[in-house]
mmCIF file of all heavy atoms in Angstrom:
data_model
loop_
_atom_site.group_PDB
_atom_site.id
_atom_site.type_symbol
_atom_site.label_atom_id
_atom_site.label_comp_id
_atom_site.label_asym_id
_atom_site.label_seq_id
_atom_site.Cartn_x
_atom_site.Cartn_y
_atom_site.Cartn_z
ATOM 1 N N ALA A 280 -3.086 -3.909 2.166
ATOM 2 C CA ALA A 280 -4.526 -3.581 2.372
ATOM 3 C C ALA A 280 -4.576 -2.393 3.341
ATOM 4 O O ALA A 280 -4.319 -2.555 4.537
ATOM 5 C CB ALA A 280 -5.298 -4.771 2.912
ATOM 6 N N GLU A 281 -4.962 -1.234 2.814
ATOM 7 C CA GLU A 281 -4.956 -0.008 3.600
ATOM 8 C C GLU A 281 -6.029 0.931 3.042
ATOM 9 O O GLU A 281 -5.981 1.268 1.850
ATOM 10 C CB GLU A 281 -3.566 0.638 3.562
ATOM 11 C CG GLU A 281 -3.469 2.014 4.184
ATOM 12 C CD GLU A 281 -3.779 2.041 5.645
ATOM 13 O OE1 GLU A 281 -2.966 1.515 6.440
ATOM 14 O OE2 GLU A 281 -4.852 2.588 6.005
ATOM 15 N N ASP A 282 -6.982 1.333 3.862
ATOM 16 C CA ASP A 282 -8.056 2.197 3.382
ATOM 17 C C ASP A 282 -7.704 3.670 3.368
ATOM 18 O O ASP A 282 -8.287 4.433 2.621
ATOM 19 C CB ASP A 282 -9.331 1.964 4.214
ATOM 20 C CG ASP A 282 -9.154 2.377 5.673
ATOM 21 O OD1 ASP A 282 -8.192 1.868 6.309
ATOM 22 O OD2 ASP A 282 -10.000 3.171 6.156
ATOM 23 N N ASP A 283 -6.729 4.077 4.178
ATOM 24 C CA ASP A 283 -6.330 5.454 4.212
ATOM 25 C C ASP A 283 -5.360 5.730 3.048
ATOM 26 O O ASP A 283 -4.294 5.058 2.946
ATOM 27 C CB ASP A 283 -5.615 5.794 5.552
ATOM 28 C CG ASP A 283 -5.126 7.221 5.601
ATOM 29 O OD1 ASP A 283 -5.952 8.137 5.711
ATOM 30 O OD2 ASP A 283 -3.883 7.391 5.483
ATOM 31 N N GLU A 284 -5.712 6.654 2.158
ATOM 32 C CA GLU A 284 -4.955 6.873 0.926
ATOM 33 C C GLU A 284 -3.477 7.223 1.235
ATOM 34 O O GLU A 284 -2.553 6.690 0.619
ATOM 35 C CB GLU A 284 -5.583 7.973 0.092
ATOM 36 C CG GLU A 284 -4.953 8.104 -1.261
ATOM 37 C CD GLU A 284 -5.685 9.107 -2.135
ATOM 38 O OE1 GLU A 284 -6.857 9.422 -1.897
ATOM 39 O OE2 GLU A 284 -5.038 9.581 -3.106
ATOM 40 N N ALA A 285 -3.238 8.148 2.170
ATOM 41 C CA ALA A 285 -1.855 8.558 2.464
ATOM 42 C C ALA A 285 -1.058 7.400 3.032
ATOM 43 O O ALA A 285 0.094 7.173 2.617
ATOM 44 C CB ALA A 285 -1.851 9.721 3.434
ATOM 45 N N SER A 286 -1.646 6.656 3.946
ATOM 46 C CA SER A 286 -0.946 5.483 4.524
ATOM 47 C C SER A 286 -0.683 4.425 3.483
ATOM 48 O O SER A 286 0.372 3.802 3.474
ATOM 49 C CB SER A 286 -1.752 4.907 5.677
ATOM 50 O OG SER A 286 -1.842 5.809 6.782
ATOM 51 N N GLY A 287 -1.668 4.237 2.593
ATOM 52 C CA GLY A 287 -1.495 3.258 1.523
ATOM 53 C C GLY A 287 -0.324 3.607 0.598
ATOM 54 O O GLY A 287 0.466 2.761 0.224
ATOM 55 N N LYS A 288 -0.234 4.894 0.254
ATOM 56 C CA LYS A 288 0.856 5.349 -0.610
ATOM 57 C C LYS A 288 2.218 5.179 0.081
ATOM 58 O O LYS A 288 3.189 4.695 -0.532
ATOM 59 C CB LYS A 288 0.666 6.826 -1.019
ATOM 60 C CG LYS A 288 -0.386 7.001 -2.077
ATOM 61 C CD LYS A 288 -0.487 8.466 -2.454
ATOM 62 C CE LYS A 288 -1.598 8.665 -3.509
ATOM 63 N NZ LYS A 288 -1.743 10.042 -3.878
ATOM 64 N N PHE A 289 2.256 5.546 1.362
ATOM 65 C CA PHE A 289 3.516 5.432 2.117
ATOM 66 C C PHE A 289 3.944 3.966 2.197
ATOM 67 O O PHE A 289 5.106 3.635 1.901
ATOM 68 C CB PHE A 289 3.362 6.019 3.530
ATOM 69 C CG PHE A 289 4.544 5.714 4.420
ATOM 70 C CD1 PHE A 289 5.692 6.448 4.337
ATOM 71 C CD2 PHE A 289 4.483 4.660 5.326
ATOM 72 C CE1 PHE A 289 6.801 6.167 5.123
ATOM 73 C CE2 PHE A 289 5.603 4.365 6.123
ATOM 74 C CZ PHE A 289 6.732 5.119 6.034
ATOM 75 N N LEU A 290 3.040 3.106 2.587
ATOM 76 C CA LEU A 290 3.366 1.711 2.751
ATOM 77 C C LEU A 290 3.719 1.054 1.412
ATOM 78 O O LEU A 290 4.651 0.265 1.312
ATOM 79 C CB LEU A 290 2.195 0.940 3.426
ATOM 80 C CG LEU A 290 2.502 -0.436 3.947
ATOM 81 C CD1 LEU A 290 3.721 -0.414 4.886
ATOM 82 C CD2 LEU A 290 1.298 -0.967 4.708
ATOM 83 N N SER A 291 2.975 1.414 0.349
ATOM 84 C CA SER A 291 3.291 0.883 -0.980
ATOM 85 C C SER A 291 4.707 1.294 -1.408
ATOM 86 O O SER A 291 5.459 0.480 -1.941
ATOM 87 C CB SER A 291 2.280 1.379 -1.984
ATOM 88 O OG SER A 291 1.024 0.813 -1.743
ATOM 89 N N LYS A 292 5.055 2.542 -1.155
ATOM 90 C CA LYS A 292 6.403 3.011 -1.518
ATOM 91 C C LYS A 292 7.443 2.268 -0.691
ATOM 92 O O LYS A 292 8.487 1.869 -1.209
ATOM 93 C CB LYS A 292 6.480 4.505 -1.313
ATOM 94 C CG LYS A 292 7.814 5.069 -1.780
ATOM 95 C CD LYS A 292 7.849 6.588 -1.698
ATOM 96 C CE LYS A 292 9.202 7.092 -2.191
ATOM 97 N NZ LYS A 292 9.314 8.518 -2.143
ATOM 98 N N LEU A 293 7.189 2.088 0.578
ATOM 99 C CA LEU A 293 8.119 1.406 1.476
ATOM 100 C C LEU A 293 8.358 -0.033 1.001
ATOM 101 O O LEU A 293 9.505 -0.442 0.850
ATOM 102 C CB LEU A 293 7.585 1.410 2.903
ATOM 103 C CG LEU A 293 8.364 0.611 3.936
ATOM 104 C CD1 LEU A 293 9.774 1.191 4.099
ATOM 105 C CD2 LEU A 293 7.650 0.608 5.271
ATOM 106 N N VAL A 294 7.313 -0.773 0.723
ATOM 107 C CA VAL A 294 7.484 -2.187 0.363
ATOM 108 C C VAL A 294 7.896 -2.365 -1.113
ATOM 109 O O VAL A 294 8.359 -3.428 -1.483
ATOM 110 C CB VAL A 294 6.274 -3.058 0.718
ATOM 111 C CG1 VAL A 294 6.025 -3.085 2.198
ATOM 112 C CG2 VAL A 294 5.040 -2.635 -0.004
ATOM 113 N N SER A 295 7.719 -1.334 -1.914
ATOM 114 C CA SER A 295 8.121 -1.477 -3.338
ATOM 115 C C SER A 295 9.625 -1.658 -3.472
ATOM 116 O O SER A 295 10.106 -2.131 -4.493
ATOM 117 C CB SER A 295 7.645 -0.253 -4.150
ATOM 118 O OG SER A 295 8.349 0.911 -3.799
ATOM 119 N N ARG A 296 10.365 -1.284 -2.421
ATOM 120 C CA ARG A 296 11.819 -1.552 -2.441
ATOM 121 C C ARG A 296 12.137 -3.030 -2.484
ATOM 122 O O ARG A 296 13.217 -3.442 -2.891
ATOM 123 C CB ARG A 296 12.463 -0.956 -1.165
ATOM 124 C CG ARG A 296 12.269 0.501 -1.022
ATOM 125 C CD ARG A 296 12.881 1.087 0.205
ATOM 126 N NE ARG A 296 12.750 0.189 1.360
ATOM 127 C CZ ARG A 296 13.222 0.469 2.553
ATOM 128 N NH1 ARG A 296 13.903 1.589 2.758
ATOM 129 N NH2 ARG A 296 13.058 -0.357 3.548
ATOM 130 N N TYR A 297 11.176 -3.851 -2.025
ATOM 131 C CA TYR A 297 11.380 -5.303 -1.959
ATOM 132 C C TYR A 297 10.830 -6.032 -3.177
ATOM 133 O O TYR A 297 11.125 -7.185 -3.382
ATOM 134 C CB TYR A 297 10.733 -5.882 -0.698
ATOM 135 C CG TYR A 297 11.147 -5.182 0.556
ATOM 136 C CD1 TYR A 297 10.232 -4.416 1.258
ATOM 137 C CD2 TYR A 297 12.454 -5.273 1.035
ATOM 138 C CE1 TYR A 297 10.613 -3.763 2.443
ATOM 139 C CE2 TYR A 297 12.836 -4.612 2.177
ATOM 140 C CZ TYR A 297 11.909 -3.878 2.879
ATOM 141 O OH TYR A 297 12.284 -3.222 4.040
ATOM 142 N N GLY A 298 9.924 -5.413 -3.923
ATOM 143 C CA GLY A 298 9.336 -6.077 -5.053
ATOM 144 C C GLY A 298 8.043 -5.438 -5.518
ATOM 145 O O GLY A 298 7.759 -4.281 -5.220
ATOM 146 N N GLU A 299 7.213 -6.247 -6.205
ATOM 147 C CA GLU A 299 5.972 -5.802 -6.769
ATOM 148 C C GLU A 299 4.920 -5.586 -5.674
ATOM 149 O O GLU A 299 4.778 -6.417 -4.752
ATOM 150 C CB GLU A 299 5.444 -6.831 -7.775
ATOM 151 C CG GLU A 299 4.133 -6.522 -8.395
ATOM 152 C CD GLU A 299 3.595 -7.685 -9.214
ATOM 153 O OE1 GLU A 299 4.319 -8.633 -9.503
ATOM 154 O OE2 GLU A 299 2.410 -7.633 -9.591
ATOM 155 N N VAL A 300 4.156 -4.492 -5.755
ATOM 156 C CA VAL A 300 3.135 -4.187 -4.762
ATOM 157 C C VAL A 300 1.768 -4.047 -5.413
ATOM 158 O O VAL A 300 1.626 -3.427 -6.461
ATOM 159 C CB VAL A 300 3.462 -2.846 -4.019
ATOM 160 C CG1 VAL A 300 2.395 -2.510 -3.016
ATOM 161 C CG2 VAL A 300 4.822 -2.921 -3.380
ATOM 162 N N VAL A 301 0.768 -4.674 -4.750
ATOM 163 C CA VAL A 301 -0.629 -4.513 -5.162
ATOM 164 C C VAL A 301 -1.332 -3.890 -3.974
ATOM 165 O O VAL A 301 -1.185 -4.346 -2.842
ATOM 166 C CB VAL A 301 -1.259 -5.874 -5.516
ATOM 167 C CG1 VAL A 301 -2.723 -5.719 -5.796
ATOM 168 C CG2 VAL A 301 -0.551 -6.502 -6.687
ATOM 169 N N LEU A 302 -2.095 -2.795 -4.230
ATOM 170 C CA LEU A 302 -2.784 -2.082 -3.149
ATOM 171 C C LEU A 302 -4.271 -2.403 -3.190
ATOM 172 O O LEU A 302 -4.896 -2.304 -4.229
ATOM 173 C CB LEU A 302 -2.542 -0.586 -3.297
ATOM 174 C CG LEU A 302 -3.166 0.329 -2.247
ATOM 175 C CD1 LEU A 302 -2.584 0.058 -0.862
ATOM 176 C CD2 LEU A 302 -2.906 1.786 -2.611
ATOM 177 N N ALA A 303 -4.803 -2.758 -2.030
ATOM 178 C CA ALA A 303 -6.247 -3.003 -1.864
ATOM 179 C C ALA A 303 -6.770 -1.930 -0.892
ATOM 180 O O ALA A 303 -6.115 -1.607 0.094
ATOM 181 C CB ALA A 303 -6.534 -4.385 -1.316
ATOM 182 N N LYS A 304 -7.937 -1.370 -1.179
ATOM 183 C CA LYS A 304 -8.441 -0.280 -0.394
ATOM 184 C C LYS A 304 -9.390 -0.703 0.766
ATOM 185 O O LYS A 304 -9.827 0.117 1.555
ATOM 186 C CB LYS A 304 -9.200 0.711 -1.282
ATOM 187 C CG LYS A 304 -8.255 1.418 -2.266
ATOM 188 C CD LYS A 304 -8.982 2.472 -3.057
ATOM 189 C CE LYS A 304 -8.234 3.219 -4.038
ATOM 190 N NZ LYS A 304 -6.903 3.128 -4.337
ATOM 191 N N ASP A 305 -9.681 -2.025 0.850
ATOM 192 C CA ASP A 305 -10.469 -2.556 1.967
ATOM 193 C C ASP A 305 -10.244 -4.052 2.084
ATOM 194 O O ASP A 305 -9.581 -4.637 1.255
ATOM 195 C CB ASP A 305 -11.955 -2.199 1.822
ATOM 196 C CG ASP A 305 -12.578 -2.786 0.588
ATOM 197 O OD1 ASP A 305 -12.497 -4.039 0.403
ATOM 198 O OD2 ASP A 305 -13.158 -2.020 -0.199
ATOM 199 N N GLY A 306 -10.767 -4.630 3.132
ATOM 200 C CA GLY A 306 -10.598 -6.039 3.379
ATOM 201 C C GLY A 306 -11.134 -6.979 2.332
ATOM 202 O O GLY A 306 -10.534 -7.993 1.983
ATOM 203 N N ILE A 307 -12.295 -6.637 1.790
ATOM 204 C CA ILE A 307 -12.906 -7.466 0.758
ATOM 205 C C ILE A 307 -12.026 -7.480 -0.496
ATOM 206 O O ILE A 307 -11.766 -8.539 -1.073
ATOM 207 C CB ILE A 307 -14.352 -6.998 0.430
ATOM 208 C CG1 ILE A 307 -15.272 -7.293 1.616
ATOM 209 C CG2 ILE A 307 -14.872 -7.675 -0.834
ATOM 210 C CD1 ILE A 307 -16.661 -6.754 1.495
ATOM 211 N N GLU A 308 -11.572 -6.310 -0.894
ATOM 212 C CA GLU A 308 -10.684 -6.230 -2.067
ATOM 213 C C GLU A 308 -9.392 -7.013 -1.834
ATOM 214 O O GLU A 308 -8.871 -7.685 -2.715
ATOM 215 C CB GLU A 308 -10.374 -4.764 -2.388
ATOM 216 C CG GLU A 308 -9.617 -4.586 -3.666
ATOM 217 C CD GLU A 308 -9.339 -3.129 -4.018
ATOM 218 O OE1 GLU A 308 -10.133 -2.228 -3.633
ATOM 219 O OE2 GLU A 308 -8.327 -2.859 -4.672
#
């Protein structure tokens, strides 16, 4: 869960090494 697009992409890429990633753009999502 990360609202900043660049940070979201970085973190998604980082954790994708461990498995499947789902990205949410805010807390409600």
Side-chain angles (χ1 to χ4, degrees):
E281 173 62 71
D282 64 306
D283 177 73
E284 189 176 338
S286 294
K288 284 181 182 179
F289 171 79
L290 195 53
S291 292
K292 185 175 181 180
L293 174 63
V294 297
S295 69
R296 301 180 320 179
Y297 308 112
E299 178 187 348
V300 179
V301 174
L302 182 62
K304 293 185 181 358
D305 61 55
I307 291 174
E308 187 178 331

